[in-house]
Amino acid sequence: MDLIVSNPADALGTLRMPDSPALDYVAIDGESFLRGKTEAWQSLGMAEKSKVLAEHPAMVQPGMFFSQDPATALAPPALAKTVLAQDVPDEKITVGEPVTVGDHTCTPIHADDTTICLSDERANGARFVDRISFPGGTAVLDIKAMSRPEVERFSTDFRSKLPLIRDSVDHRIKMTSQILRGYKGACAPTACVFTARVTVTYLGPTSDPDASKAVPVTYAWAIDRDGTPMDLDPECSGALLIKPGTSEDLSCTAIGPPVESGASRGQYHGEIRTSDRALTAKEYERLVDLAADNSEKIAELPDPARAP
């Protein structure tokens, strides 16, 4: 993991398995999102779904790849609790000899099975945490405090990545679309009504609160007559909410110019493209507002190098 994580647990960065492409990572409000190529998803053990996941960013829940949300666990307030080691008896806290980390040294503090390395460099008496090694070598975190320009750049970059969240999908949702042959209208040389049935299925546990949450579905019809794409009315594309376990019928009427009597032309072909979304438009707008609010709060924080 190579992440920048803010105090409110907004995060940007990449996740990468050895010798594999990286996945882009964005997190906000306890939700994590990944985007990557097919090969990157395959490296995470998602070979069966890798092609589908590569088409859109994906919202990932704790338990999919991590036991808990990475950004929430790595936010400074959460790491501070680890550094305090309040649940570790004093007799299990020892100080080791300085070790080299990058281009400087730090002093390791062993708190039971966790090691916290404090930088020897001081800023107004403060010592910064350089590294945290968790029990059994399960994870080693190298930590670096950000400069004020880096903080400002992060806030700008973070807001520019929010469209990735807007377009994300939920891997627990399965959606099927079936063109219905029993057209609601007559199919003639000048007009044809196409109807499709869209069904949403939730693949997670039925006890999960999300199992009954309405799923945002985008759709767009594409219809041609004799191979020529047709202009369609606005109602032939859009978005709607469908609850898991239910279906919705979507129709689109295509109207073409008249043809001569007895002509063999006037053959229509239609298809519907559908995609689910992890967030509704309202949920996405709330996260955009939250990101702006978090950015303002971060801007008000003192520079750690100048903090008393």
Side-chain angles (χ1 to χ4, degrees):
M1 296 188 295
D2 184 5
L3 304 179
I4 297 174
V5 187
S6 72
N7 273 30
D10 293 344
L12 281 180
T14 58
L15 305 181
R16 182 195 303 271
M17 294 294 286
D19 303 319
S20 298
L23 290 100
D24 293 324
Y25 178 89
V26 176
I28 182 173
D29 198 32
E31 301 286 0
S32 290
F33 303 83
L34 287 173
R35 177 177 61 186
K37 297 180 179 179
T38 301
E39 296 80 6
W41 285 108
Q42 289 173 341
S43 71
L44 290 178
M46 303 292 288
E48 187 175 324
K49 297 182 179 180
S50 59
K51 290 185 178 180
V52 175
L53 290 171
E55 294 177 0
H56 295 282
M59 182 173 71
V60 294
Q61 295 76 26
M64 183 176 179
F65 302 120
F66 311 99
S67 59
Q68 54 186 316
D69 180 67
T72 303
L74 298 178
L79 288 180
K81 293 181 180 179
T82 300
V83 172
L84 288 174
Q86 291 179 329
D87 297 330
V88 181
D90 290 345
E91 61 270 18
K92 291 190 176 183
I93 299 178
T94 59
V95 180
E97 293 295 325
V99 297
T100 299
V101 174
D103 58 357
H104 61 280
T105 62
C106 68
T107 300
I109 310 296
H110 305 294
D112 204 355
D113 292 331
T114 299
T115 299
I116 302 153
C117 215
L118 295 180
S119 172
D120 292 332
E121 299 177 6
R122 294 174 178 267
N124 295 332
R127 302 183 71 182
F128 297 100
V129 177
D130 280 337
R131 174 176 290 175
I132 301 177
S133 301
F134 290 92
T138 53
V140 177
L141 300 180
D142 288 320
I143 302 169
K144 177 185 176 183
M146 298 171 65
S147 66
R148 176 57 58 183
E150 287 175 326
V151 171
E152 293 173 353
R153 186 163 58 249
F154 164 77
S155 293
T156 300
D157 291 345
F158 184 81
R159 291 195 296 272
S160 73
K161 294 290 185 179
L162 290 181
L164 182 151
I165 294 175
R166 179 194 60 204
D167 297 335
S168 64
V169 299
D170 188 336
H171 74 285
R172 299 170 298 176
I173 298 299
K174 178 183 179 182
M175 191 170 58
T176 56
S177 302
Q178 178 186 12
I179 299 290
L180 302 181
R181 298 304 175 187
Y183 297 126
K184 292 183 178 180
C187 217
T190 56
C192 191
V193 179
F194 287 87
T195 303
R197 181 160 295 163
V198 179
T199 305
V200 171
T201 305
Y202 184 75
L203 302 180
T206 55
S207 59
D208 193 312
D210 289 340
S212 59
K213 179 183 175 183
V215 176
V217 174
T218 63
Y219 64 94
W221 284 92
I223 299 176
D224 67 76
R225 190 177 79 160
D226 301 324
T228 301
M230 303 196 64
D231 294 330
L232 302 175
D233 291 336
E235 61 264 23
C236 290
S237 61
L240 72 161
L241 295 173
I242 304 178
K243 284 195 172 185
T246 63
S247 302
E248 292 283 346
D249 290 351
L250 303 174
S251 297
C252 179
T253 301
I255 300 176
V259 295
E260 296 180 4
S261 178
S264 60
R265 298 176 60 80
Q267 296 297 313
Y268 290 84
H269 172 266
E271 62 179 22
I272 186 171
R273 301 185 182 96
T274 57
S275 178
D276 64 286
R277 290 291 184 267
L279 301 172
T280 64
K282 187 175 182 179
E283 289 171 332
Y284 172 69
E285 290 169 3
R286 184 186 70 82
L287 293 180
V288 170
D289 292 340
L290 179 62
D293 186 52
N294 287 347
S295 179
E296 291 179 4
K297 291 178 180 177
I298 292 172
E300 295 173 355
L301 292 174
D303 189 328
R306 298 194 183 101

